[in-house]
Structure formats: structure tokens, C-alpha cells
Amino acid sequence: MNRAAILWRVASFAVAASFVGLWQLIANLKLVSPVFLPGPDRAWAALVRGFSSGDLWSKLAGTLEHMAYGWLLASIAGIAIGAIIGSSRTMRTYVAPSLEFLRPLPVSAIIPVAIAMLGLTQAMALFVISFGAIWPIMLATIHGFAAVEPRLYEVARSLQMSRLAVIFKIALPSASPDILAGMRLSLTVALILSVVCEILAGLDGLGHWVLLSARAFRSADLFAGVILLGVTGYVTSVAMSLAEHKLLAWQAAQR
Amino acid sequence: MASAAKRLDTVPGTPAPQIAFDGATLVLGGKTIIENLSLGVQPGEFLCIVGASGCGKTTALRLAAGLYQPTSGRVNFDGQPMRAPRREIAIVFQDYGKALLPWRTAAGNVSLALEAAGMPSAERPARIEELLRTVGLPGHAGKYPSEMSGGMQQRLQIARCLAQEPKTLLMDEPFGALDAMTRQGLQDEVLSLMAASGATVIFVTHDLDEAIYLGDRVIGLLPHPGRIGIELAVNLPRPRDQLSTREHPEFLRLRRQLFDFIKATEQ
Ligand SMILES: Nc1ncnc2c1ncn2[C@@H]1O[C@H](COP(=O)(O)OP(=O)(O)OP(=O)(O)O)[C@@H](O)[C@H]1O
Ligand SMILES: [Mg+2]
């Protein structure tokens, strides 16, 4: 790491530290009632308490599970559907307009539909999460498949490669930067929708924990849950970036 | 000049052509790009095609590759109609940057052709190494195309084409984007590689000197629509030499003839 990078890192830590300091100050001065706003000290204590009792572990595990299943399902379906649409020009012209219509539809709008059809169940959560998370992945895949260098398809033809080989050796790797970027966006969507589903359907997870804490005016527990959600979002997105970096090492050479 | 096309059809006593255009016409977007092209390329022959920009050289090559189907007439390979591209016919594209897989290393790019041919993975590394050595890229197996110079990338594309073990190699201005020194080096490498493999070559170029230097025969195309305007046999001794061949009186005579032809087509 060079000096500038170290300086940036130090600066960002300083900002984070002063933010926590400010929070503590506001809490100590009781600018906001402690019933609603615990200081970082109390939030931290609640976090430690939650983990040592094991409660937060199981909630965290629940949320991670919802998120992971929904995201994986969205990834598989999104890449498969995106590949089919993206690799055919006719499909693109016919299907793209409907996608443009469906995409801006807020996922919250389909939650009542999902609840009506599937009830307050894990299946409903899986459907809602993957329905929301599929869009960035599918659209990125369509774009990636449509943008494959036509010359490469001619190379494949002259090598008489099979359809499957063309998909796995040419189209997918070529579209992989787009697909991985879409998957990273979807990770955040999946986390948000996991929390929403847990709140609405009372499924075991951090969303439910936050809701119950709020109802019982346990503000420290509430903040512990919120902090944990933030950390979850951050850690998964960093992990995804690392995976991207590793998978797309060939792109680093290109720049 | 119109009679040139007819003369090519059947020359008694010569073996059957490997690639035969038989009155091939191609219409694209309502425009006749190639008209009534008849041309036989003998096995092992090195045929060069020259012509003004836009006269249909690339299109003729794509017909020979099976990437286009003629609107009327035929294009035959080994006596059979070409219905689709096939592994025995390799194409070296001019835009090497687009014809290589950027996510695969040099070795991986060569491997693509071996995988397509169904070579077991255990046998591939040795063959890849051999091919990379053949085109002068030993020790670059682990490099990505983006880490290689233009000349190296074009060498890599040639290595992949050789991995197809083609009977025919089609080259579309393969050295057009390279500097003069790299270009001459690659010309000599292609000549010795083809002499060793005995493959048939159709080589498209803008460069008249290059066409005469490399070819057994040079064909000049006339534009709008593309058709044969001139056909020259190159009776220069092989192996060719960058200095003495280019100073040979016959070389200069052919060069003059081609130059006049191109000049006339541009008017
Ligand atoms: N797909 C196509 N549809 C319509 N016209 C085309 C198509 N491809 C090529 N042409 C036209 O056919 C003519 C010949 O094109 P071609 O690329 O074969 O020329 P060329 O001799 O290779 O030219 P250059 O030396 O510039 O590479 C050009 O006028 C071009 O505009
Ligand atoms: Mg061309």
C-alpha cells in the first residue's frame, strides 16, 4: 500500500471515529430521549449480551440464510433467463419491453400478492427475496450476453464448437464482469428484502429481532440489530468484491 | 480481362482443387458484393488476393470459410459444398485483438482449439507448448493477450489456427496493423510454417509487395461487384528471401503489372 492509500484509510477511520464520538455526545447530553437513542456504549453492551446469550447468533444465522437462499436462487435463475434472452436478438426485441415495464415495479408491490398466494411462510420469503434480487442479475446478464464480441462467435463456428461449449467457454466468461456486478447489487437487495420479509412474516431473523425490540422499547437491542445488519451488508459486499477481483484477474491485465 | 475467370475453371492435368468457387455470387442487403466468381485453389497452393478497399476481398474469404453462403453458384471444399465453417479451415482475422479470448492466457487460447477438437486434457499442455514454440512465443504461455504486443497477439492467433491442424488457412490482412519489421518477420514465419505443413493458403492483403513475396499466384479483384480482374502466376524461386526476392527482375515486373492494375481500378 502506498502512502496516499494509508492516508485515505486513516482519514476514513477518523471520520468513523468522530461519528461514533458525536453519537455518544448526543446520547450523553440526552438531546434525544434514551428510550429512543441509546449511546454507542449501550448498543455495544447489547450486542455483547446478545451474542453471549446466543440469541443474536441465531437471528443473524436466520437472516443470512434467507439472504443466501434468495440470492442464490436469483443468481441461478437470473443468469439462466438472462442468457436465453441475451443470446437471441429476437428474444431481446420481444421480451425487453416487458422487462422494462416490470423492472421499475417496486418489489413491495408484489409482497401482498406473494403473501396471498403463499402465506406468511419461508416459501413466501424465498419468492419475494429472489424476485427482487433477480433483476440486477438478469438485466446485467442480458447486457453481457448481447455484448459478446461477434468475432468470437465466428471463431467458435470455425472451431465447430458445440452450443454448450460456446455458452460456457465464450458467452459466460465474456459476460462475467457484467454478471458479477449485477450479483453484487443484488446482494444488497437480498439483505433488504430478507429484513422486510422477517418483519412482515415474523420469520426468525434480525428483522424480527429489530421489530420486537422496537415494540418493547429496548432501544439498545434495536440498535444492536441495526448495527449487525449494517455489518452484514458491508462484509458480504466486501467478500463479493474480493471474489470479483479474483475471478476477473484477467481484466486487471487489460487496464 | 473478363476471360480470366473462365481460364481458371479447369486446367487439364492439374489435381482437383481443394477450394473451388464455381460461379459464386453473393448478394447482401440487396447489393451484389461478389459476382460470378470462379476460382480453384490447388492443395498446397499459396494464393494471394489483392484489390482496392471495399472490392470484396474479405467477403470472398468469408465465402471460402463457410461464414457466408453464396446466393447463387457454389463454393466447394474437397469437392463437397461448404455448408458451414469447419475445423479443417482456419481463419486468421485481421483484428487479432477481437479474435482472442481476453480471459484466457496464451496457453488457454491455443487450448480452445484443442478442446474443440476433443483432445484429452492430459495431451494438451505438451501440444500447446509445441505450438507456442512454433510461432515464436515460448515462455509466454501464462500471459494474457492484453499483456502482449500486436505482433505477439497475431502470432498467438496463428498458433490457435495451427492447433486446428487446418488443411486450408485463410488469412485476412493478418499483418495489416503491424509495423514493417514485425511484418517481414511474420511473412517469413508463415512461409516456412506453410511449407512444413503443406496447407493451402488464401491470403488477403492490401500490400502488393507482400502478395508477390508470399504467393504462388496473385489475384486482383475489381470492385462493384467484386470479380476477378487479373491473375498472375508468381514464378519466383523458393525459399523466398526478403532481400534477393524483392530485387528479382520478375518480382519487379509483377509488381509493376499489379500496380498498374490497381491504379486502373481506382479510376
Ligand atoms: N454484411 C454486409 N451487408 C452489406 N454490404 C456489405 C456487407 N459486408 C460487406 N459489404 C460491402 O461489400 C463490399 C466489400 O466488402 P469487403 O469487406 O469484402 O471489402 P474488402 O475488399 O475486404 O475491403 P477492405 O480492403 O477495406 O477490407 C463493401 O462495399 C462493403 O460495404
Ligand atoms: Mg477486408
Side-chain angles (χ1 to χ4, degrees), chain B residues 28-29 31 33-34 51-60 68 94 172-173 204 206 221 224:
Chain B
L28 285 176
K31 207 171 120 200
I33 314 283
I34 297 282
S53 196
C55 71
K57 303 182 295 292
T58 296
T59 309
Y68 284 148
Q94 172 172 10
D172 190 4
E173 303 192 39
V204 164
H206 258 114
L221 292 188
H224 314 296

Side-chain angles (χ1 to χ4, degrees), chain B:
Chain B
M1 276 193 185
S3 65
K6 280 195 201 93
R7 255 190 294 124
L8 293 167
D9 257 354
T10 43
V11 185
T14 51
Q18 186 167 85
I19 293 185
F21 290 80
D22 182 9
T25 296
L26 182 71
V27 179
L28 285 176
K31 207 171 120 200
T32 306
I33 314 283
I34 297 282
E35 189 171 67
N36 197 22
L37 181 67
S38 290
L39 167 69
V41 190
Q42 303 303 322
E45 183 178 1
F46 202 121
L47 175 79
C48 292
I49 300 180
V50 296
S53 196
C55 71
K57 303 182 295 292
T58 296
T59 309
L61 208 65
R62 291 172 69 85
L63 274 170
L67 288 168
Y68 284 148
Q69 290 298 313
T71 313
S72 67
R74 273 185 304 271
V75 179
N76 283 354
F77 183 79
D78 276 347
Q80 300 296 317
M82 278 282 296
R83 300 221 185 281
R86 42 165 87 205
R87 225 177 286 131
E88 297 145 286
I89 304 176
I91 323 172
V92 178
F93 294 101
Q94 172 172 10
D95 42 3
Y96 40 77
K98 291 180 177 172
L100 296 168
L101 307 183
W103 55 88
R104 285 198 182 205
T105 59
N109 269 281
V110 176
S111 177
L112 186 75
L114 301 178
E115 292 160 27
M119 179 185 272
S121 57
E123 297 169 23
R124 278 180 229 147
R127 181 80 182 117
I128 291 169
E129 205 192 309
E130 188 187 335
L131 284 161
L132 288 177
R133 201 166 349 98
T134 309
V135 297
L137 290 176
H140 296 288
K143 282 200 178 143
Y144 288 104
S146 53
E147 298 171 300
M148 307 170 99
S149 69
M152 288 162 78
Q153 291 184 36
Q154 192 57 294
R155 284 193 162 95
L156 179 55
Q157 200 192 172
I158 292 172
R160 187 187 61 208
C161 286
L162 293 179
Q164 284 177 249
E165 299 189 354
K167 281 188 175 172
T168 294
L169 189 63
L170 306 174
M171 305 180 95
D172 190 4
E173 303 192 39
F175 310 142
L178 303 175
D179 64 272
M181 282 310 288
T182 312
R183 195 177 175 123
Q184 294 201 346
L186 280 171
Q187 286 169 355
D188 290 331
E189 278 171 41
V190 163
L191 280 183
S192 62
L193 283 173
M194 290 306 108
S197 79
T200 312
V201 182
I202 304 183
F203 191 104
V204 164
T205 176
H206 258 114
D207 181 341
L208 307 183
D209 290 31
E210 183 172 67
I212 303 167
Y213 181 73
L214 295 172
D216 295 315
R217 187 157 52 123
V218 179
I219 276 174
L221 292 188
L222 285 169
H224 314 296
R227 68 220 123 100
I228 294 178
I230 193 173
E231 185 207 345
L232 298 171
V234 182
N235 292 311
L236 286 166
R238 290 192 186 267
R240 307 253 163 106
D241 175 81
Q242 289 290 355
L243 289 178
S244 62
T245 301
R246 287 174 193 269
E247 287 167 355
H248 200 288
E250 174 72 359
F251 185 94
L252 299 174
R253 189 184 67 77
L254 289 167
R255 186 171 185 275
R256 182 63 201 236
Q257 216 176 331
L258 265 187
F259 187 80
D260 288 343
F261 165 76
I262 295 289
K263 209 73 201 282
T265 66
E266 278 171 355
Q267 278 159 10

